[in-house]
C-alpha cells in the first residue's frame, strides 16, 4: 500500500523513537508477562490475531487503554499488519506514560512468517 509522504514520515519518526521487538522474541516476552496489543480494526482482529492478545483499535486506543491496562509499567507489544500503526501506537502510549511500550517489527505478517 502506498502511503502519503507526510504519513510515512510520521510513522518513521515514531518507529525510531520506540523499542522494536522482533517476531522471534514475541512468544518469550508474552510468557514473561508482556501484553501483545492488537491495534488493528475489529474485522482484522477477528480474521486473525496473536493468541492471547488484547484488542484495542487504533482509533480508540487513547480512550480505552487505561481501563484495560492500568499499569504504566506493563510491557506492551503493539502490532498491526506490518509496522506503521504499531509504531504510531507505541509512540502514543509512551507519550501517555506507558514506559515499556514498543511494537512488533513486521507486525502480524512478520509473526506469522515464523510459522
Amino acid at each position: 500500500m502506498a502511503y502519503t509522504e507526510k504519513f510515512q514520515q510520521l510513522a518513521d519518526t515514531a518507529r525510531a523513537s520506540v523499542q522494536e521487538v522482533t517476531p522471534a522474541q514475541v512468544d518469550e516476552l508474552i510468557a514473561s508477562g508482556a501484553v501483545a496489543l492488537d491495534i488493528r480494526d475489529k474485522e482484522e482482529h477477528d480474521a486473525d490475531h496473536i493468541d492471547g492478545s488484547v484488542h484495542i483499535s487504533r482509533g480508540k486506543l487513547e480512550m480505552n487503554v487505561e481501563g484495560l491496562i492500568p499499569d504504566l509499567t506493563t510491557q506492551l507489544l503493539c502490532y498491526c499488519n506490518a509496522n506503521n500503526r504499531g509504531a504510531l501506537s507505541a509512540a502514543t502510549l509512551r507519550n501517555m506514560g506507558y514506559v515499556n511500550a514498543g511494537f512488533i517489527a513486521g507486525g502480524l505478517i512478520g509473526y506469522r512468517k515464523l510459522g
Side-chain angles (χ1 to χ4, degrees):
M1 172 181 270
Y3 299 113
T4 66
E5 183 178 329
K6 288 182 182 183
F7 170 78
Q8 194 59 61
Q9 286 175 342
L10 185 65
D12 291 345
T13 299
R15 189 172 180 179
S17 72
V18 294
Q19 179 187 12
E20 187 172 306
V21 172
T22 68
Q25 296 173 289
V26 171
D27 290 338
E28 182 178 333
L29 290 170
I30 291 172
S32 298
V35 174
L37 184 57
D38 185 349
I39 54 80
R40 300 171 306 142
D41 294 335
K42 182 183 183 321
E43 300 79 30
E44 293 172 292
H45 177 80
D46 289 348
D48 189 21
H49 58 272
I50 295 173
D51 288 341
S53 63
V54 173
H55 177 252
I56 306 175
S57 66
R58 173 90 176 104
K60 295 188 178 186
L61 179 63
E62 296 86 350
M63 292 183 293
N64 295 337
V65 68
E66 292 176 280
L68 292 172
I69 306 168
D71 183 353
L72 297 177
T73 64
T74 301
Q75 184 170 18
L76 299 174
L77 310 175
C78 298
Y79 73 93
C80 58
N81 286 325
N83 292 302
N84 291 333
R85 291 180 290 170
L88 287 165
S89 296
T92 295
L93 291 169
R94 296 281 303 218
N95 287 335
M96 291 180 70
Y98 287 88
V99 295
N100 295 311
F103 75 102
I104 300 171
L108 184 62
I109 293 169
Y111 181 78
R112 289 290 180 233
K113 282 183 180 177
L114 292 177

